Amino acid sequence: MSYDQENIFAKILRGEIPCKKVHEDQWSLAFHDIHPQAPVHVLVIPKGPYVSLDDFSAEASPQEIAGFFRAVGEVARKLGLPAKGYRILANNGRDGGQEVPHFHVHIFGGRPLGRMIAVG
Ligand code: AMP
């Protein structure tokens, strides 16, 4: 699957669409999800054009991968989540329920999060 430069997160990265920014560095941007599914629901995206975790893990440089995952932990700390705990999730492809074709990690927190995945 080739990268769609018009996907919504590409537009956010280019500043064409606003976001509620939590963190930005050389490798990543983090912002609040527009339809939060927990008291804290933040998305972390790499700045490079990667469709999915599959694409990112295969094609990104070691620096991009390290920078991105350091940012995920940093964002969680910035949000005060480690003390009580939190969850990260990356939907990948159709069966994974991925809607936006730019790799992103969800960070959920702020309440007990229950079962790992919905049953059925
Ligand atoms: P996924 O199903 O993993 O692709 O998740 C995509 C997420 O992006 C969903 O949780 C949406 O609510 C969120 N989303 C879509 N558009 C925006 C936007 N403009 N700003 C923030 N979050 C968004």
Side-chain angles (χ1 to χ4, degrees), residues 34-95:
I34 205 164
H35 293 125
Q37 295 181 44
V40 178
H41 185 177
V42 166
L43 302 171
V44 189
I45 69 175
K47 289 200 165 169
Y50 301 102
V51 174
S52 62
L53 175 64
D54 183 57
D55 187 21
F56 185 69
S57 61
E59 301 296 338
S61 69
Q63 291 88 345
E64 287 175 293
I65 292 172
F68 175 76
F69 280 103
R70 279 199 191 283
V72 173
E74 192 172 334
V75 168
R77 287 189 291 277
K78 216 177 223 184
L79 295 166
L81 295 175
K84 287 194 171 176
Y86 62 97
R87 178 174 293 161
I88 70 167
L89 175 79
N91 295 319
N92 191 106
R94 189 191 56 193
D95 280 4

Side-chain angles (χ1 to χ4, degrees), residues 8-9 12 17 31-35 37 41 43 91 97-100 104 106:
I8 195 123
F9 293 171
I12 287 174
I17 289 178
F31 51 90
H32 290 278
D33 196 289
I34 205 164
H35 293 125
Q37 295 181 44
H41 185 177
L43 302 171
N91 295 319
Q98 183 178 0
E99 290 173 3
V100 178
H104 51 282
H106 298 254

